[in-house]
């Protein structure tokens, strides 16, 4: 039997408390047969939901686990997922890193300007079991979180998509523009070039562009296609402003309490997610399906100038330093060195 979002929010805290009253052994037995997982991403985001859907399909097909899975925010909204995971109300979640870097600062490494292009071009650096992957999990463990996979890599970087009325063909064009930005890391950069950063949910972005509430958006092409933004956009400046990965998260307590069969099924599905998640999106869906859509729509594609790349890297230095101060000097410098291939 499935439950709707309202029933879940009303009853999850009580159910979790009751499970503790019955003892940890009863909770562990239940976890061997049934797990609840969530994602706020809708299936219309084909490239973003491909990996998570494949993971759930494989986990559910195992003899050890039955999955109740709720995508599209049907059970929990994006900002409700992490608290619910920590409370034990759900067993696992998929979450884009760009939405939780304020709550989980170490994940900011996936969105740092001047770093994301190196990660994107070197997918092995975020593979399950890589030095950077393991280092991130060392930091997450301090918050009782375990990232089982980050779909093998970050996704293609987010670029600047602009309207006919307010084209952005260079960083200089940002001055005075109203720019939709999600990640904290990219926000600081665009503000440094004179843009006003506006945080708008992707579900509201189509109308925001249509009504000139914003002039442009920093977005991954999945957001453009998933929300049909190509109908309102006329230009894309392919400067790698930021990026994100989609992490598969459990709590460390949940991971430790899984039975042997459960954990084996979870790991097997996660290995598929790690091998195929980002790889299929970055190397098949984007170049073979999504970018041809942009060409058919007549969107002008502008490659970044060397001068703008240098300006971005220079501006991003302040953002990187701010992030290093937040996570700690040793942690931040080590993570960046691993991301850039300067350490092992």
């Amino acid at each position: 039997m499935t439950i709707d979002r309202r029933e879940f929010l009303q009853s999850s805290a009580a159910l979790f408390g009751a499970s503790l009253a019955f003892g940890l052994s009863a909770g562990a037995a239940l976890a061997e047969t049934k797990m609840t997982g969530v994602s706020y991403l809708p299936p219309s985001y084909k490239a973003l939901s491909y990996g998570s859907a494949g993971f759930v399909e494989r986990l559910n097909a195992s003899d050890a686990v039955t999955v109740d899975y709720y995508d599209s925010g049907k059970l929990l909204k994006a900002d409700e997922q992490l608290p619910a995971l920590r409370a034990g109300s759900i067993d696992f979640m998929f979450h884009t890193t760009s939405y939780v870097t304020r709550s989980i600062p170490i994940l900011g490494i996936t969105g740092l300007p001047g770093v994301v292009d190196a990660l994107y071009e070197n997918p092995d650096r975020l593979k399950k079991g890589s030095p950077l992957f393991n280092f991130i999990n060392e930091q997450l463990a301090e918050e009782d979180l375990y990232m089982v996979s980050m779909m093998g890599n970050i996704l293609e970087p987010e670029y600047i998509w602009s309207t006919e009325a307010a084209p952005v063909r260079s960083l200089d064009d940002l001055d005075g523009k109203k720019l939709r930005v999600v990640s904290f890391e990219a926000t600081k950069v665009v503000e440094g070039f004179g843009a006003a950063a506006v945080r708008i949910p992707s579900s509201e972005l189509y109308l925001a562009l249509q009504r000139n509430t914003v002039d442009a958006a920093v977005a991954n092409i999945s957001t453009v296609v998933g929300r049909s933004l190509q109908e309102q956009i006329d230009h894309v400046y392919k400067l790698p402003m930021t990026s994100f990965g989609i992490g598969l998260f459990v709590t460390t307590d949940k991971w430790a309490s899984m039975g042997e069969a459960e954990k084996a099924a979870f790991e097997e599905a996660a290995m598929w997610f790690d091998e195929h998640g980002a790889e299929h999106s970055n190397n098949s869906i984007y170049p073979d399906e999504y970018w041809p859509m942009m060409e058919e729509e007549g969107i002008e594609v502008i490659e970044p100038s060397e001068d703008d790349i240098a300006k971005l890297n220079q501006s991003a230095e302040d953002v990187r330093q701010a992030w290093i101060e937040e996570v700690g000097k040793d942690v931040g410098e080590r993570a960046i060195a691993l991301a850039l291939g300067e350490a092992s």
Side-chain angles (χ1 to χ4, degrees):
M1 180 182 72
T2 59
I3 58 176
D4 64 25
R5 181 175 178 275
R6 178 177 293 180
E7 290 172 333
F8 178 83
L9 292 175
Q10 289 175 341
S11 63
S12 61
L15 289 173
F16 181 59
S19 70
L20 292 179
F22 281 109
L24 294 177
S25 61
L30 180 62
E32 289 178 5
T33 58
K34 189 174 185 179
M35 291 187 186
T36 300
V38 298
S39 170
Y40 68 91
L41 295 167
S44 62
Y45 279 50
K46 177 180 177 181
L48 303 189
S49 61
Y50 170 81
S52 55
F55 168 86
V56 170
E57 180 182 353
R58 283 157 180 79
L59 181 60
N60 208 29
S62 72
D63 294 331
V65 178
T66 300
V67 182
D68 268 351
Y69 182 60
Y70 301 85
D71 60 21
S72 309
K74 294 172 186 172
L75 190 62
L76 295 166
K77 296 179 181 177
D79 58 359
E80 295 170 337
Q81 289 189 183
L82 182 57
L85 184 73
R86 284 175 161 154
S89 304
I90 57 175
D91 299 300
F92 66 89
M93 72 173 185
F94 294 96
H95 218 307
T96 52
T97 57
S98 56
Y99 270 84
V100 291
T101 56
R102 296 298 84 203
S103 302
I104 313 173
I106 187 60
L107 297 179
I109 190 65
T110 64
L112 291 178
V115 174
V116 296
D117 48 343
L119 280 177
Y120 172 64
E121 293 168 5
N122 296 275
D124 288 346
R125 292 177 189 170
L126 267 175
K127 283 284 189 183
K128 188 173 171 64
S130 69
L132 178 57
F133 179 88
N134 291 339
F135 186 68
I136 291 172
N137 265 321
E138 288 175 17
Q139 314 313 310
L140 293 178
E142 297 179 6
E143 303 185 48
D144 188 31
L145 291 173
Y146 175 56
M147 182 174 69
V148 189
S149 168
M150 196 185 285
M151 67 189 307
N153 193 15
I154 59 173
L155 289 160
E156 181 181 88
E158 298 186 27
Y159 304 128
I160 304 172
W161 304 78
S162 57
T163 62
E164 182 179 12
V168 175
R169 297 187 177 93
S170 71
L171 283 173
D172 290 340
D173 289 338
L174 290 178
D175 190 28
K177 297 289 196 303
K178 295 170 292 183
L179 199 65
R180 182 264 189 176
V181 188
V182 172
S183 77
F184 168 81
E185 294 77 21
T187 296
K188 293 301 180 184
V189 172
V190 302
E191 288 177 343
F193 288 101
V198 182
R199 190 178 176 92
I200 296 176
S202 61
S203 59
E204 301 173 15
L205 189 50
Y206 187 98
L207 287 178
L209 289 163
Q210 186 181 58
R211 295 171 178 175
N212 297 317
T213 304
V214 293
D215 302 307
V218 174
N220 174 273
I221 195 171
S222 288
T223 301
V224 175
V225 174
R227 299 297 182 181
S228 300
L229 303 182
Q230 67 269 25
E231 297 174 4
Q232 299 298 327
I233 284 168
D234 292 273
H235 318 276
V236 55
Y237 189 42
K238 294 184 71 175
L239 188 67
M241 300 297 295
T242 187
S243 189
F244 61 90
I246 298 176
L248 168 60
F249 298 94
V250 298
T251 64
T252 53
D253 287 344
K254 177 64 182 178
W255 188 248
S257 69
M258 282 189 195
E260 186 174 328
E262 287 177 285
K263 188 173 289 187
F266 211 93
E267 279 279 28
E268 183 177 351
M271 288 301 294
W272 181 92
F273 178 61
D274 203 76
E275 182 178 352
H276 298 283
E279 190 278 334
H280 184 67
S281 296
N282 287 338
N283 298 329
S284 295
I285 296 177
Y286 291 157
D288 298 341
E289 297 182 41
Y290 285 9
W291 283 107
M293 287 184 194
M294 303 303 108
E295 183 178 357
E296 291 174 8
E297 197 69 28
I299 292 175
E300 179 188 16
V301 178
I302 306 107
E303 296 294 336
S305 67
E306 292 185 6
D307 184 52
D308 270 6
I309 292 174
K311 286 180 182 178
L312 176 64
N313 289 335
Q314 183 177 5
S315 174
E317 182 60 30
D318 291 338
V319 177
R320 290 195 293 271
Q321 287 304 315
W323 179 75
I324 287 171
E325 291 177 8
E326 184 174 10
V327 299
K329 186 174 186 295
D330 291 344
V331 170
E333 291 182 351
R334 171 75 174 158
I336 289 175
L338 289 169
L340 295 177
E342 298 171 353
S344 60

